[in-house]
Amino acid sequence: MKADELARYRKLLEDQRKELVHDIQEHGKIPTERVDAEDNDRADQANVAVDRLISNRIAASEDHLLEKVDLALSRMDAGTYGKCVLCGKEIPAARLEAKPSVSLCAPCQTSKEQR
Ligand SMILES: [Zn+2]
């Protein structure tokens, strides 16, 4: 892969990483002002619990994506970015473009999902 292409994907990954970290911080926020309020009724407390549950789910999936982005960045440092981690073939640019954190080529991804 050419250096300018690599730099462009690195920028995409770093932007995505920043966004993810920001989102995780937002979703990780605990609405203390509602929990601490003395006149909190049961319905309100239930809402807080549900909100927190949803936030945790979102945060978990974002954590997972963040991990993928971090792995892609370390593959970049190792000089193996853009190659399928299973078969070693080049991942087509269109695929990387759509999802810069992708680590498998389409055939490997398909066979992995079918397993
Ligand atoms: Zn492959």
Side-chain angles (χ1 to χ4, degrees):
M1 187 180 285
K2 283 182 216 142
D4 60 335
E5 278 179 300
L6 207 56
R8 203 163 54 84
Y9 289 124
R10 183 183 285 274
K11 171 102 179 43
L12 287 175
L13 283 166
E14 278 169 356
D15 284 351
Q16 194 178 13
R17 192 175 194 285
K18 256 182 248 165
E19 240 172 76
L20 284 168
V21 169
H22 177 258
D23 284 355
I24 288 166
Q25 283 166 348
E26 286 289 303
H27 290 137
K29 265 186 207 158
I30 299 163
T32 44
E33 70 280 2
R34 288 177 68 184
V35 174
D36 291 343
E38 275 187 26
D39 58 352
N40 234 349
D41 60 24
R42 277 173 182 279
D44 249 4
Q45 285 183 1
N47 277 337
V48 170
V50 169
D51 279 355
R52 218 181 280 176
L53 195 70
I54 294 167
S55 291
N56 286 344
R57 290 239 173 104
I58 295 168
S61 71
E62 280 168 349
D63 264 349
H64 192 63
L65 186 56
L66 183 63
E67 215 176 272
K68 284 189 171 180
V69 170
D70 277 343
L71 284 172
L73 283 166
S74 60
R75 283 198 303 278
M76 219 167 238
D77 291 336
T80 57
Y81 180 77
K83 289 197 180 90
C84 174
V85 295
L86 278 187
C87 69
K89 280 185 194 148
E90 297 259 343
I91 298 170
R95 186 167 164 81
L96 287 174
E97 198 79 40
K99 209 176 163 201
S101 60
V102 77
S103 62
L104 298 172
C105 67
C108 287
Q109 180 78 51
T110 308
S111 67
K112 194 185 163 197
E113 278 164 11
Q114 279 167 354
R115 233 179 280 154

